[in-house]
Amino acid sequence: MRLMARRDQGGNVANETLEVWFDGGCPLCTREIALMRRLDRGRAIRFIDVAGPDSQCPIDRRALLERFHARENGVMLSGAAAFAAMWRAIPVLRPLGLLARNRVVLKLLEALYLQFLKVRPQLQHLFRAREA
């Protein structure tokens, strides 16, 4: 498992772990994760393809495929909160992730995410058609 170092409130180095589950069968998802991997130069994130035969699912596989999930320091997150955790682990996106710690901002991001989920099947179909 990859570890990322950070300083705790006392100034000591603490290790955080971040795992991100994604749908490797979704062309939209694989493109997004490819971008996140490129941005994750410190290799702070462990990306796990839920569509893979050897994926270890900490919760129901269907739930992992329906919404974006991440586990940050042992805490399972989904939706906008999971995206925010991933952003915090990537230096260039960290300001967005920190902003999402604000309840109002996170609530707005979650509302936007729920709207995205409504059009996700159409977007997946469009991306699959483009790849064919």
Side-chain angles (χ1 to χ4, degrees), residues 22-36 68 83 113 116-117 119-131:
F22 71 98
D23 181 358
C26 166
L28 183 64
C29 302
T30 55
R31 286 179 184 210
E32 179 182 14
I33 294 302
L35 172 62
M36 294 300 121
F68 188 72
F83 277 101
Y113 181 68
F116 163 76
L117 287 179
V119 298
R120 181 180 176 218
Q122 293 87 356
L123 290 173
Q124 288 174 321
H125 179 72
L126 179 67
F127 274 81
R128 283 190 183 104
R130 287 183 66 202
E131 288 180 351

Side-chain angles (χ1 to χ4, degrees), residues 69-131:
H69 285 79
R71 184 165 43 198
E72 182 180 44
N73 295 324
V75 177
M76 201 66 171
L77 305 166
S78 73
F83 277 101
M86 182 174 64
W87 298 337
R88 284 191 295 274
I90 298 172
V92 71
L93 299 175
R94 186 168 173 77
L96 268 177
L98 292 174
L99 183 62
R101 284 195 165 149
N102 177 292
R103 273 190 326 206
V104 174
V105 173
L106 187 58
K107 198 171 197 172
L108 174 63
L109 290 171
E110 182 65 21
L112 291 171
Y113 181 68
L114 292 174
Q115 293 305 309
F116 163 76
L117 287 179
K118 292 178 182 178
V119 298
R120 181 180 176 218
Q122 293 87 356
L123 290 173
Q124 288 174 321
H125 179 72
L126 179 67
F127 274 81
R128 283 190 183 104
R130 287 183 66 202
E131 288 180 351

Side-chain angles (χ1 to χ4, degrees), residues 14-59:
N15 288 323
E16 290 184 4
T17 59
L18 181 65
E19 298 168 295
V20 169
W21 285 267
F22 71 98
D23 181 358
C26 166
L28 183 64
C29 302
T30 55
R31 286 179 184 210
E32 179 182 14
I33 294 302
L35 172 62
M36 294 300 121
R37 280 184 167 138
R38 284 193 302 274
L39 294 174
D40 181 28
R41 294 185 178 176
R43 303 293 178 241
I45 304 170
R46 179 177 175 224
F47 293 98
I48 304 162
D49 180 356
V50 178
D54 297 330
S55 68
Q56 297 174 352
C57 301
I59 61 173

